[in-house]
Amino acid sequence: MMSGSEIPTTLLLLRHGETALTAEKRLSGSGGSDPALSEIGRRQAEAAAELLAARGAVHAVVSSPLRRCRETAAAAARRLSLQLRIDEGLLEADFGVWEGLTFAEVRERYPVEFAAWLESPAAVPGGTGESLDSVTRRVALSRDKLLARYQGQTVLVVSHVAPLRTLVRLALGAPPAALFRMELAAASVSEVAYDGNGNASLRLLNDTSHLR
C-alpha cells in the first residue's frame, strides 16, 4: 500500500471547447481577440464536465484566464462542486500579427518567419508574439507550483494547445519539435501523473470519447 508521499499527483489536461476561430482552424492566442465558446463549444464543455464528474476524485480546477477556458472550466467546476482558480501561466501563446490567420495563410504571407518558428523554439511568431521557449518557461513554473500545492491530489488544468502540448512534451522528455506532432482536439482530455520525485508518466492523450 502506498504512503501519502508515494501517491502520484495527477494533472488532467482539458483543452477548451470550440470557438468560431477553432472551427476555422485560425490561430487564437493571447494577443488577439478573446472569443467565447460557440454553441458547439458549450456542449463540448458540458460533455467534458460530465466525464470528469463521473471520474470523480478531482480536487482542484485551474484555468487559463482567457474566456474560452474560463467557460470550459466553469462547467467542470460546477459539476465537481469546486472553486475555479485562474493561473496566468496557462495562457495561450501570443501569435502577434499571425492572430486570426490559418497556418496556410501564415505560410503564404510570412514564409521565412513561419519556417523559422517551426525550426526554432526561440523564434518569435508574428514579430511581436511569444516564443515557444517563453511558453515553456512559464508553463513549467505553473506546473511546479501545482505539483507543490496539490501533492498527491488530482488537478484539472484547463488551457490551450501550446501550454498543454508543452506539458505533455516535458512529461515525455521530448524535443521541442514534438509540439507539432501531437493532436489535442477541442475539449480533449489528457492525463499526466507525477511521482514524488517529479518523474512524469503520460497516461492518456487526446481522449475525445465523451464527445461522440
Side-chain angles (χ1 to χ4, degrees):
M1 189 172 179
M2 290 191 296
S3 68
S5 61
E6 293 173 326
I7 297 173
T9 305
T10 300
L11 299 186
L12 294 173
L13 312 179
L14 173 61
R15 186 186 169 197
H16 62 79
E18 248 187 44
T19 70
L21 293 176
T22 313
E24 296 179 2
K25 299 188 182 303
R26 294 188 177 278
L27 288 167
S28 179
S30 57
S33 62
D34 188 8
L37 294 178
S38 64
E39 180 58 38
I40 290 174
R42 288 192 289 273
R43 290 199 299 267
Q44 290 174 331
E46 290 297 338
E50 186 176 345
L51 170 77
L52 293 161
R55 181 190 188 279
V58 178
H59 303 95
V61 179
V62 183
S63 172
S64 156
L66 293 183
R67 185 175 178 183
R68 55 196 180 273
C69 285
R70 286 189 286 107
E71 291 178 345
T72 302
R78 283 193 300 271
R79 288 290 190 99
L80 295 163
S81 299
L82 292 170
Q83 184 176 359
L84 172 58
R85 289 188 56 245
I86 299 299
D87 186 336
E88 296 282 343
L90 298 174
L91 272 170
E92 179 60 290
D94 181 344
F95 296 108
V97 296
W98 297 357
E99 293 275 353
L101 301 179
T102 64
F103 276 127
E105 290 169 341
V106 173
R107 188 180 290 110
E108 180 183 343
R109 299 181 197 182
Y110 306 95
V112 175
E113 293 91 338
F114 186 64
W117 183 66
L118 293 176
E119 187 68 27
S120 170
V124 175
T128 59
E130 182 184 18
S131 71
L132 292 173
D133 275 344
S134 173
V135 173
T136 299
R137 285 192 293 272
R138 61 176 171 80
V139 168
L141 181 60
S142 288
R143 175 203 61 194
D144 291 347
K145 289 179 178 178
L146 289 173
L147 295 181
R149 179 170 184 167
Y150 297 106
Q151 185 176 0
Q153 299 182 70
T154 295
V155 181
L156 175 62
V157 175
V158 184
S159 187
H160 311 262
V161 167
L164 296 181
R165 283 180 176 175
T166 296
L167 286 169
V168 172
R169 178 183 78 77
L170 294 174
L172 294 173
L179 287 176
F180 303 108
R181 298 179 184 175
M182 64 180 84
E183 173 71 17
L184 287 181
S188 65
V189 176
S190 302
E191 180 178 340
V192 182
Y194 303 82
D195 68 18
N197 297 315
N199 299 313
S201 173
L202 179 64
R203 295 183 171 180
L204 186 68
L205 182 67
N206 194 42
D207 180 16
T208 57
S209 59
H210 50 291
L211 305 178
R212 294 169 196 159

